[in-house]
Amino acid sequence: MKILIVEDEPGIYTFLQEGLEDEGYQTRVATDGQATLDAYAEWRPDLILLDWMLPVLDGLEVCNRIRLGDTTTPILFLTARDTVEETISGLRAGANDYIKKPFSFDELAERIKIHFRNRQDDRVLRLGDIEQNLTTYQVTRNGKHVKLTGREFDLLAYFISHKGHVCTREDIIKNVWGIDFQYDTGVIDVFMNALRKKLDMKADGYIKTVRGVGFIAED
C-alpha cells in the first residue's frame, strides 16, 4: 500500500516515513500543496496523510481539489487545528478522518489499518486507471469523474467483473439487459461506442472487440 505524507516539517515527515516504512508501507513526501497534487496525479497513493497548514495551497484546498475526481482514496488530516468548526470544514472537504497533533504513532497506524480495511470492503471495480464504485455509483478514469448512464454503468461493471474472459453478445444481452430471448444484439454497439467515448478509450483500449463473438476487458 502506498501512503502520501503531506507535511512541511522535516522532523515530522521523517518520523512518519520511517515508522510507516517499518510497517511495510511505501511512502512519498510532499511539502507543499501544489507538490501534493502533482505527487497524487503521478503516484496515485492508496491513502493520504494531509497536514492542514501548507505552503502554496493549504490542506483544505488540496483536499477539495482531490475530491473533485476521487471519492474513494482515504484522506486523513494531521493538524494542530482542533476547533469544532475546523473539524467540520475538513470533513466537509472530503476528509475521512481527523487526527490532532501531537499524536501517538500507534494510534495513527491503527487508524490507517482501519481505513484500508474499510476501503477493501467497498465494492470498487478496477480496470487499468478506471475505478467504478458500485456503492456510490461513481466512475473515474485517472482520477477524473466520468458521468455514465445507468445502462452504460451496468455494461462497464459486467465487463470489469468478467475481466480477462470473452463476453459474448448473447451473454451481455442476457445479463446486462435482462433479455432471455432472441434479440438484435446490435444495440450493444451503440452503448459500446458511447462508453468508449466517455472513457476516452480507443477501439483497441481496455475493452477490445472480439470479432464475431463479443468483447473482452483487459488491463
Side-chain angles (χ1 to χ4, degrees):
M1 291 290 189
K2 300 186 295 185
I3 297 178
L4 178 59
I5 301 167
V6 183
E7 172 62 60
D8 62 337
E9 291 290 337
I12 297 178
Y13 68 64
T14 300
F15 164 72
L16 289 171
Q17 194 164 31
E18 290 176 352
L20 291 171
E21 289 183 354
D22 284 344
E23 293 284 323
Y25 299 110
Q26 299 177 53
T27 66
R28 182 175 290 192
V29 173
T31 57
D32 68 58
Q34 186 57 56
T36 301
L37 295 176
D38 294 341
Y40 166 80
E42 175 191 347
W43 198 47
R44 301 296 294 173
D46 298 298
L47 182 142
I48 301 170
L49 297 179
L50 181 60
D51 187 28
W52 188 303
M53 298 298 293
L54 294 169
V56 187
L57 298 171
D58 67 23
L60 197 65
E61 178 63 19
V62 169
C63 187
N64 274 313
R65 293 194 187 190
I66 290 174
R67 283 293 183 244
L68 289 174
D70 178 351
T71 60
T72 60
T73 301
I75 298 176
L76 283 65
F77 267 120
L78 302 178
T79 179
R81 292 174 175 265
D82 63 348
T83 67
V84 173
E85 293 78 10
E86 288 164 340
T87 302
I88 291 173
S89 295
L91 296 176
R92 282 179 175 171
N96 299 84
D97 209 343
Y98 200 99
I99 301 174
K100 181 186 175 184
K101 295 177 180 178
F103 52 85
S104 159
F105 180 81
D106 289 340
E107 177 190 0
L108 174 64
E110 186 59 34
R111 296 230 202 155
I112 288 172
K113 290 177 184 177
I114 290 170
H115 284 288
F116 276 140
R117 284 199 297 268
N118 289 344
R119 189 178 187 195
Q120 290 169 355
D121 290 340
D122 283 343
R123 300 173 64 205
V124 178
L125 303 178
R126 294 179 177 84
L127 178 65
D129 57 4
I130 298 170
E131 288 193 1
Q132 181 177 27
N133 191 307
L134 303 183
T135 301
T136 63
Y137 292 93
Q138 296 268 343
V139 176
T140 62
R141 174 154 195 195
N142 197 26
K144 296 181 179 179
H145 178 69
V146 180
K147 188 174 182 179
L148 301 181
T149 66
R151 185 71 76 195
E152 290 163 354
F153 186 93
D154 293 342
L155 186 59
L156 178 63
Y158 184 75
F159 285 132
I160 300 179
S161 298
H162 294 80
K163 186 164 53 177
H165 300 277
V166 175
C167 302
T168 69
R169 290 175 175 273
E170 290 74 19
D171 285 341
I172 295 168
I173 283 292
K174 179 178 179 180
N175 291 284
V176 179
W177 268 259
I179 297 174
D180 199 14
F181 54 84
Q182 190 171 359
Y183 187 83
D184 181 7
T185 60
V187 68
I188 296 172
D189 294 315
V190 176
F191 283 89
M192 279 303 304
N193 288 337
L195 187 61
R196 282 171 168 157
K197 184 175 181 180
K198 289 183 178 181
L199 290 169
D200 194 24
M201 289 190 294
K202 297 179 180 179
D204 59 349
Y206 288 136
I207 303 176
K208 299 179 176 66
T209 299
V210 181
R211 293 190 180 279
V213 181
F215 305 87
I216 184 170
E218 294 180 320
D219 290 316

